[in-house]
Amino acid sequence: MLHAKLKVFVLIFACQFLFITQALSSEIRIAVASNFYSTMQEIIVQFELENTDTSKANEIVLIPGSSGKHFAQIINGAPFDLFFSADKIRPTLLEEQGAIREQSRFTYALGRLALWSPRSPFIDSEGEALFDEDFRFIAIANPKIAPYGIASKEVLMSMKLWQDLNKKIVRGENIAQTFQFVSSGNAELGFVSYSQILDSNFNLGGSFWLVPQSLYNPIEQQAVLLRDSTLARDFIAFLKSEKALNLIKKNGYDLP
């Protein structure tokens, strides 16, 4: 009798374990660079529209933030399934450390940099406002931790303005905070992601200069698979589909 009860207990435990395992595998956590957050939301909506199987309780949790902070969290064991960085440096480092699924690193978008101000007219189509210096502060993402900050510094150095404007520069932790500095008026202008200017959620006015890519190194935004699951693999496959690529391009990125 005791042996029979033990069998029942083991069976119940096994079923509960299977249920929990399936539930966990039906959720993925995506760490995404702040500049790509809005675009990723659109991609997820389309992904869910094409995967309406109600027998699967699929859930995608987005965690936006700076690529540098996400990288540090991953190294320290954060439970992310996918990492969409704003650069290729950190995904490459994770690959070298054996922290990703083999051969999962890929470039999903090429970022574009723009100089933007809420004031119009203020910034012309050649970026001459930088030479006029008719402003107190210019915002850029921190070049030490943010890929778009590195690109911003490269632009100013290419234009031989880095030293002259250094005293006017305010640094955001990431491109999202940099955008807030400008939109709030704390800085009259700033280097932001072109995708932020096109974001319909902001209804932006003002003036901007789409910076020529000859002035900065390509912003290769790469992604990696950290924890394997069917849902994560399906999402990566969808992100590489024509429908998702069209969304990425529409939102101000170049395609790899």
Side-chain angles (χ1 to χ4, degrees):
M1 188 70 169
L2 181 60
H3 185 64
K5 285 183 178 179
L6 182 60
K7 278 187 174 181
V8 172
F9 174 78
V10 171
L11 180 61
I12 291 173
F13 177 80
C15 290
Q16 288 177 334
F17 179 79
L18 179 61
F19 174 80
I20 292 170
T21 303
Q22 289 176 336
L24 288 173
S25 66
S26 68
E27 175 185 287
I28 57 173
R29 296 170 61 83
I30 301 177
V32 59
S34 55
N35 73 283
F36 200 71
Y37 178 58
S38 180
T39 304
M40 184 65 86
Q41 287 178 309
E42 290 188 43
I43 291 171
I44 289 173
V45 168
Q46 289 300 315
F47 175 75
E48 290 175 343
L49 286 174
E50 296 199 3
N51 293 271
T52 55
D53 183 356
T54 55
S55 67
K56 297 179 181 178
N58 293 340
E59 184 177 354
I60 299 176
V61 180
L62 278 183
I63 304 96
S66 71
S67 298
K69 281 199 169 183
H70 282 324
F71 174 78
Q73 290 167 345
I74 292 166
I75 292 299
N76 286 292
F80 300 140
D81 298 273
L82 290 162
F83 174 37
F84 284 79
S85 180
D87 66 1
K88 66 177 182 179
I89 297 173
R90 292 170 181 88
T92 300
L93 288 173
L94 290 173
E95 183 178 48
E96 291 172 351
Q97 294 176 28
I100 71 171
R101 296 300 176 179
E102 190 175 351
Q103 297 182 334
S104 69
R105 181 168 61 91
F106 68 99
T107 301
Y108 64 91
L110 300 174
R112 298 295 308 273
L113 193 67
L115 181 67
W116 172 64
S117 172
R119 292 166 54 185
S120 182
F122 182 56
I123 298 176
D124 61 281
S125 60
E126 301 295 330
E128 291 296 325
L130 291 170
F131 292 97
D132 294 339
E133 295 193 36
D134 185 24
F135 53 88
R136 289 181 60 203
F137 297 112
I138 176 172
I140 70 169
N142 189 342
K144 292 183 179 179
I145 58 174
Y148 280 80
I150 294 172
S152 302
K153 181 177 180 178
E154 288 172 349
V155 171
L156 292 176
M157 291 185 71
S158 296
M159 300 175 72
K160 304 188 185 308
L161 288 171
W162 177 249
Q163 293 298 330
D164 292 341
L165 295 181
N166 198 42
K167 61 184 179 297
K168 295 188 173 188
I169 292 175
V170 291
R171 294 165 174 79
E173 180 181 285
N174 52 45
I175 201 67
Q177 189 177 63
T178 305
F179 177 82
Q180 290 171 0
F181 285 162
V182 183
S183 61
S184 65
N186 289 318
E188 293 95 321
L189 72 168
F191 285 102
V192 301
S193 167
Y194 183 44
S195 61
Q196 291 171 312
I197 294 176
L198 297 181
D199 194 331
S200 59
N201 293 319
F202 296 134
N203 294 316
L204 295 180
S207 52
F208 74 92
W209 171 46
L210 185 58
V211 181
Q213 292 184 313
S214 59
L215 296 180
Y216 60 98
N217 290 314
I219 305 174
E220 288 188 56
Q221 302 198 186
Q222 292 194 344
V224 291
L225 176 64
L226 301 168
R227 299 196 304 184
D228 213 346
S229 69
T230 300
L231 180 56
R233 292 279 183 181
D234 288 347
F235 185 74
I236 290 174
F238 178 75
L239 192 127
K240 294 179 179 180
S241 70
E242 185 177 355
K243 184 169 289 186
L245 292 175
N246 287 338
L247 279 175
I248 292 172
K249 190 172 182 179
K250 176 183 76 72
N251 279 280
Y253 298 92
D254 285 339
L255 300 179

